[in-house]
Amino acid sequence: MPALAYCVDATAAPPPGYAFAGDSSLPSPDLFPGGPPETTIFTSPVSAPTSENLSWSPSLSSSLYKIDGWGAPYFSVNGSGNMAVRPYGTATLPHQEIDLLKIVKKASDPIRSGGLGLQLPLIVRFPDVLKNRLESLQSAFDHAIQSQGYGSHYQGVFPVKCNQDRFVVEDIVKFGSPFRFGLEAGSKPEILLAMSCLCKGNSDALLVCNGFKDAEYISLALIARKLALNTVVVLEQEEELDLVIDLSKRLFVRPVVGVRAKLRTKHSGHFGSTSGEKGKFGLTTTQILRVVGKLKQHDMLDCLQLLHFHIGSQIPSTTLLADGVGEAAQIYCELVRLGANMRVVDIGGGLGIDYDGSKSPDSGLSVAYGLDEYASMVVDVIRSVCDRRSVKHPILCSESGRAIASHHSVLIFEAVSASTYEVPSMSSIELQYLDGLTDDARVDYQNLSAAACMGEYKTCLLYADQLKQRCIEKFMDGCLGMEQLAAVDGLCALISKAVGELDSVRSYHVNLSIFTSIPDFWGIDQLFPIVPIHRLDQRPSVRGILSDLTCDSDGKIDKFIGGESSLPLHEMEGNGNLSGGGGRYYLGMFLGGAYEEALGGVHNLFGGPSVIRVMQSDGPHSFAVTRTVPGPSSGDILRVMQYEPELMFETLKHRAEEFVQEDDDGCEGIANSLAMSFRNMPYLGSPSSCFSDSDTDYNGAVDSGSGDDSEQWTYCYA
């Protein structure tokens, strides 16, 4: 079959520059009358640079990625085009800002070069941010209490389920000690860690014990009471009261009891399923009355001192908050009327954060209020209800884990390569394969050619798709060869490119496991801000989705804040691959400090990231690394799944001795490489990490990725 132009009637005048025989290329988009629609990577309200204005700036990147919306006051873009952390929020001075790229370089550079030798992905923790979030929450309630003449105080608790990491919890206890800030636990291990940590906290700090309980759980809570910890056993189910009464008498301890009320107030947002009358936890009004009656019967009504409730996580508006708090305040006043020794209202979790920067009450990713509005509404509603009922103002408590922990942690990962569909160039020889098309396919081809000459690019796409589908069917029937099918694919791709309809979204392959590090994205479609942490003084020129290392089709991120299905990204220098010759391209996931680490699994046996703890410092780089924890090795992860890495290594070593020739140190080299693989992280590394030094014995180092070398990383200052 002749080239495309030969299928057009000879009397038809082709557009200027149309390619005829001897030139198999298709016309470029501007040769179609009117031209195809222009495409751009920018869908947010940022003007793309025109031919008159090709400049780019960090402020444009900040607007493009909505950093000021979701990141303020802790994250910004600095003058170098890198993401910067402002550890003290609005009080951060310019010289105190911390450049994230410098942290990554410090963490990932080899030890011999002055780095820490850590492998990515990397979690960077900022205790200063954690402290500022806690202080800001306390300040918001203190201001509301003082301005409204409230007759009691606020003392919150941190729900350790949000992030059970030892150093996070210990930091919260330390930073919160001046405010009587406590902990909330929901399981026996969580009670144990909370008891241990609070031994160093404020003696008035609350230990709130939630969740399903058995005899051992309640015994632990009562033992905590005997250890002079301010412990409250919150009844989630009515039958738990019998255990509390029985065990408290056996242990000779007077318990402090709370009840969780199952409110009728419910929100319909992303996290609203835990609220309302059909919520998982809590007691109905009828059950609460029976609890009061039983406590009175056992002369223990004075033990009932706390009312707990939970409207749902990520409460979208203060209007909904006021409804729930108002309902709970009425229950509190009724319990006072019934003779209970009520002292505390625990409003539970629900204080939301703005993941997408929209400040919208209609988005499951945002909230239409700040800390001050939240605290003011809570104080105002409870004060008003108690004043009307002539009830003393209670101590206010909240379990605001997401709002405290989310901002302090940043997940850094690397894009190692990028793929995109390259439109092939077609020679006259390749086009000759089209001569073997069937008659009906020839008709599609002729219609396609005619539409191209008339500049009807939408019709071109229609006929191109029809031609392609018809040829696929013939190939499936065995009537068409692979060369002919490839020629049709190439022709259709050229046409799509010519009319501007070729899919330009690239797949960026990232050194990460979505299931391990961002499980909420996969599990509940939770979105987090994801931004390149450098090159933000350059205009992003492509759009991409992120594809992780797992052998799972779900292991990709193709939804982003702002309703986007792709993310503006920069071209990777030298394709950025790990074989060398390319520049690194780093991205950060922000606001993931709550829940993600606790929920992550070991899908495909990828373990957690390395962790680095960074505090603001007056040194040359404005930060100091105070603790590092290398990520778990392949041996560590195998051990979690009941394998024995030491025995596995010995089995493989003996196999090598049996089948590998001894010349060129082949057996020893294989054994060393196997040992190195057991002790390395499962994520992609540099090629040099696959080979061991010939003078190093790794046979004794396969049981852990944290040997003597890791100890010297523990305290290292930038």
Side-chain angles (χ1 to χ4, degrees), residues 387-621:
D387 285 350
R388 288 198 304 268
R389 300 290 300 272
S390 298
V391 170
K392 182 181 178 181
H393 298 166
I395 296 170
L396 300 178
C397 177
S398 71
E399 302 174 5
S400 304
R402 187 189 305 271
I404 291 174
S406 293
H407 298 77
H408 94 285
S409 174
V410 181
L411 173 68
I412 308 294
F413 52 96
E414 182 181 7
V416 295
S417 64
S419 64
T420 184
Y421 181 76
E422 298 292 339
V423 178
S425 59
M426 298 188 66
S427 66
S428 57
I429 296 176
E430 291 172 313
L431 282 173
Q432 288 177 359
Y433 286 116
L434 298 175
D435 289 333
L437 296 181
T438 59
D439 291 340
D440 48 2
R442 285 172 177 266
V443 173
D444 291 331
Y445 187 91
Q446 291 166 351
N447 291 334
L448 171 60
S449 178
C453 282
M454 291 183 287
E456 299 175 351
Y457 55 86
K458 289 187 177 180
T459 306
C460 276
L461 291 173
L462 178 64
Y463 283 124
D465 184 66
Q466 192 167 304
L467 172 64
K468 186 173 183 177
Q469 293 303 318
R470 199 184 303 276
C471 291
I472 291 174
E473 292 174 3
K474 295 298 181 182
F475 178 78
M476 297 292 289
D477 292 337
C479 302
L480 199 68
M482 187 177 292
E483 297 91 345
Q484 293 164 315
L485 185 63
V488 171
D489 284 341
L491 178 64
C492 293
L494 285 170
I495 293 169
S496 295
K497 181 180 180 181
V499 300
E501 291 291 333
L502 191 69
D503 185 6
S504 60
V505 175
R506 302 188 183 184
S507 182
Y508 275 58
H509 304 121
V510 295
N511 197 9
L512 186 74
S513 165
I514 304 299
F515 305 91
T516 298
S517 294
I518 320 178
D520 271 344
F521 174 81
W522 171 74
I524 60 174
D525 291 326
Q526 172 70 40
L527 304 185
F528 298 90
I530 297 176
V531 181
I533 68 166
H534 61 137
R535 296 178 63 182
L536 295 174
D537 54 347
Q538 304 171 26
R539 177 178 183 256
S541 56
V542 298
R543 296 194 73 95
I545 64 171
L546 307 180
S547 178
D548 77 355
L549 298 181
T550 63
C551 299
D552 197 306
S553 58
D554 286 339
K556 63 181 180 181
I557 301 178
D558 54 4
K559 298 175 185 176
F560 302 89
I561 64 171
E564 303 289 346
S565 59
S566 60
L567 187 69
L569 296 169
H570 304 85
E571 289 277 7
M572 296 188 65
E573 299 172 354
N575 201 31
N577 56 61
L578 292 174
S579 60
R584 302 295 197 182
Y585 191 51
Y586 299 109
L587 298 115
M589 185 206 81
F590 296 80
L591 308 186
Y595 294 108
E596 299 316 288
E597 296 171 56
L599 294 174
V602 290
H603 181 51
N604 256 173
L605 298 189
F606 285 105
S610 302
V611 180
I612 186 171
R613 188 175 185 268
V614 175
M615 299 192 73
Q616 195 277 326
S617 167
D618 292 333
H621 299 302

Side-chain angles (χ1 to χ4, degrees), residues 143-292:
H143 177 73
I145 286 170
Q146 183 177 5
S147 62
Q148 298 186 37
Y150 191 81
S152 189
H153 66 273
Y154 168 81
Q155 57 178 99
V157 295
F158 176 72
V160 296
K161 66 181 179 183
C162 290
N163 195 321
Q164 297 100 334
D165 181 87
R166 169 191 165 188
F167 302 107
V168 173
V169 178
E170 287 182 351
D171 278 343
I172 287 173
V173 171
K174 180 176 67 175
F175 299 150
S177 183
F179 316 123
R180 296 169 285 202
F181 214 87
L183 300 173
E184 180 268 343
S187 68
K188 285 176 275 191
E190 288 185 350
I191 289 180
L192 289 169
L193 75 85
M195 290 168 62
S196 175
C197 290
L198 286 174
C199 286
K200 299 179 181 179
N202 191 304
S203 60
D204 291 329
L206 289 167
L207 170 52
V208 177
C209 300
N210 289 333
F212 288 104
K213 304 171 185 68
D214 61 5
E216 184 181 3
Y217 183 118
I218 293 173
S219 294
L220 282 172
L222 295 175
I223 289 171
R225 190 80 190 164
K226 289 177 76 76
L227 298 178
L229 297 175
N230 192 9
T231 310
V232 182
V233 180
V234 178
L235 304 178
E236 307 274 9
Q237 295 181 302
E238 188 178 354
E239 53 267 29
E240 293 171 356
L241 178 58
D242 292 330
L243 285 172
V244 172
I245 293 173
D246 179 55
L247 291 169
S248 63
K249 291 178 179 179
R250 292 188 189 183
L251 293 172
F252 303 101
V253 60
R254 195 73 173 172
V256 173
V257 177
V259 290
R260 176 167 177 169
K262 187 175 290 188
L263 300 186
R264 290 164 174 80
T265 303
K266 174 180 172 62
H267 82 77
S268 58
H270 188 71
F271 298 97
S273 61
T274 58
S275 61
E277 293 182 274
K278 295 184 179 180
K280 178 179 178 182
F281 292 114
L283 306 180
T284 65
T285 52
T286 301
Q287 291 172 318
I288 292 174
L289 287 172
R290 286 203 292 261
V291 166
V292 170

Side-chain angles (χ1 to χ4, degrees), residues 119 578-579 668-693 698:
Q119 187 176 340
L578 292 174
S579 60
E668 182 180 354
I670 287 177
N672 284 342
S673 294
L674 288 168
M676 179 67 81
S677 293
F678 275 107
R679 65 181 288 195
N680 280 346
M681 286 178 69
Y683 293 95
L684 301 183
S686 61
S688 61
S689 66
C690 299
F691 304 98
S692 58
D693 298 331
Y698 292 104

Side-chain angles (χ1 to χ4, degrees), residues 1-207:
M1 178 173 290
L4 182 61
Y6 279 168
C7 295
V8 183
D9 189 279
T11 61
Y18 193 90
F20 279 96
D23 183 355
S24 60
S25 63
L26 291 176
S28 58
D30 60 311
L31 297 180
F32 287 92
E38 293 185 1
T39 58
T40 174
I41 69 164
F42 301 102
T43 57
S44 61
V46 176
S47 300
T50 63
S51 57
E52 292 81 18
N53 177 25
L54 296 176
S55 63
W56 193 256
S57 67
S59 62
L60 288 176
S61 285
S62 182
S63 181
L64 176 65
Y65 294 106
K66 303 178 175 64
I67 295 171
D68 290 339
W70 56 260
Y74 301 107
F75 305 105
S76 62
V77 184
N78 64 22
S80 300
N82 301 332
M83 285 295 294
V85 178
R86 308 180 73 240
Y88 310 123
T90 56
T92 305
L93 300 176
H95 72 278
Q96 295 173 325
E97 290 189 354
I98 302 173
D99 190 316
L100 264 181
L101 187 63
K102 291 181 179 179
I103 294 176
V104 173
K105 178 175 174 56
K106 179 67 178 179
S108 60
D109 277 357
I111 296 176
R112 63 178 177 273
S113 301
L116 301 175
L118 293 177
Q119 187 176 340
L120 268 62
L122 177 71
I123 288 177
V124 185
R125 298 199 199 283
F126 296 95
D128 294 319
V129 173
L130 194 67
K131 184 172 185 285
N132 185 267
R133 289 299 291 175
L134 197 154
E135 291 173 343
S136 297
L137 177 62
Q138 184 72 40
S139 177
F141 272 98
D142 287 348
H143 177 73
I145 286 170
Q146 183 177 5
S147 62
Q148 298 186 37
Y150 191 81
S152 189
H153 66 273
Y154 168 81
Q155 57 178 99
V157 295
F158 176 72
V160 296
K161 66 181 179 183
C162 290
N163 195 321
Q164 297 100 334
D165 181 87
R166 169 191 165 188
F167 302 107
V168 173
V169 178
E170 287 182 351
D171 278 343
I172 287 173
V173 171
K174 180 176 67 175
F175 299 150
S177 183
F179 316 123
R180 296 169 285 202
F181 214 87
L183 300 173
E184 180 268 343
S187 68
K188 285 176 275 191
E190 288 185 350
I191 289 180
L192 289 169
L193 75 85
M195 290 168 62
S196 175
C197 290
L198 286 174
C199 286
K200 299 179 181 179
N202 191 304
S203 60
D204 291 329
L206 289 167
L207 170 52

